[in-house]
Amino acid sequence: MLSPENIPWDAYDALLKEKLKPSRYTHSLCVMERAVELALKNGVDTTRARLAGLLHDIMKNVPDKEMLQFIEDSGIILLYADLCAPQLWHAIAGAAYMKEKLGIDDPDVLNAVRYHTTGRAGMSPLEKVVYLADLTSADRDYPDVKKARRIADRSLDEGVLYGSEYLISDLVGRERVLHPDTLACYDELIKKGVRANGK
Ligand SMILES: [Fe+2]
Ligand SMILES: [Fe+2]
């Protein structure tokens, strides 16, 4: 059972300071705060949101080669689509690091980190909270961030759909490979009747 008193917050803070560049460390704190805010709004467990938000980018500044080695050593087999997208390796490696090195075994927390970059079909409310916290944290300043924040505040599903649309059009615009989890995330929400725009 995850309870805030049993989580070594100070040790995790020190670890993040050691592993991350200063701007990425600040981003992690902002995502943690935003994850707690969205969790409170949506009846999601705030301890899990705080933990996943804080640690979601723990492997972000590890060199690609080292990250791939860590993923391989963890027994994870990457899909071809994963190999084509180095920007999401840190999510896979991050969840594996949390499980193996930090002994975190809560599947929802691990999945929230694992899928924070791509999304996926069948996301839990915690996964959506962390995905959206990453996209709409206070340090983010991409052109549509205010709109993304408004939509995320209104509805987790609409926020995740908007995030998927943004990600897909960005990748298409740059002629990059689309990850099947991102497409599955988008498709599921559209089939459910969720719409992010035009309201
Ligand atoms: Fe990330
Ligand atoms: Fe992030």
Side-chain angles (χ1 to χ4, degrees):
M1 181 66 188
L2 266 182
S3 68
E5 315 80 61
N6 298 333
I7 294 172
W9 298 106
D10 291 345
Y12 289 166
D13 187 74
L15 182 67
L16 286 172
K17 270 195 186 125
E18 184 191 305
K19 286 182 78 70
L20 297 177
K21 292 176 184 161
S23 60
R24 185 58 53 178
Y25 170 73
T26 305
H27 166 71
S28 301
L29 298 185
C30 291
V31 172
M32 176 182 77
E33 276 173 30
R34 179 68 169 144
V36 170
E37 186 181 295
L38 287 170
L40 280 170
K41 253 188 222 293
N42 292 280
V44 170
D45 179 61
T46 51
T47 302
R48 285 181 172 82
R50 184 177 166 197
L51 184 61
L54 180 68
L55 297 177
H56 79 288
D57 271 346
I58 191 160
M59 294 293 272
K60 183 78 178 184
N61 294 139
V62 172
D64 282 355
K65 213 173 149 197
E66 208 180 302
M67 203 147 51
L68 278 181
Q69 190 62 54
F70 183 78
I71 292 172
E72 196 186 317
D73 293 347
S74 306
I76 296 166
I77 311 283
L78 291 180
L79 301 173
Y80 178 66
D82 298 328
L83 283 168
C84 292
Q87 74 277 9
L88 59 83
W89 295 347
H90 74 282
I92 300 170
Y97 183 93
M98 285 162 65
K99 189 173 179 189
E100 285 180 28
K101 304 284 184 192
L102 305 181
I104 295 169
D105 58 4
D106 185 277
D108 207 13
V109 170
L110 296 176
N111 284 333
V113 172
R114 168 68 183 81
Y115 296 102
H116 82 265
T117 313
T118 53
R120 64 163 173 163
M123 290 171 90
S124 72
L126 178 71
E127 289 175 53
K128 290 173 188 169
V129 159
V130 174
Y131 178 98
L132 288 173
D134 187 37
L135 213 69
T136 64
S137 56
D139 60 308
R140 293 290 199 193
D141 63 355
Y142 56 92
D144 275 350
V145 70
K146 283 196 179 128
K147 186 175 181 192
R149 283 193 189 115
R150 253 196 335 269
I151 298 174
D153 284 336
R154 186 167 78 204
S155 148
L156 291 182
D157 275 352
E158 289 175 28
V160 171
L161 178 63
Y162 184 75
S164 308
E165 288 169 357
Y166 192 89
L167 182 62
I168 290 167
S169 57
D170 175 63
L171 289 168
V172 169
R174 293 188 289 129
E175 298 186 316
R176 303 280 286 275
V177 169
L178 296 176
H179 194 281
D181 285 337
T182 303
L183 296 175
C185 178
Y186 170 85
D187 280 350
E188 182 187 60
L189 292 166
I190 289 292
K191 284 177 193 158
K192 223 169 112 177
V194 178
R195 295 294 180 268
N197 288 293
K199 282 195 179 171

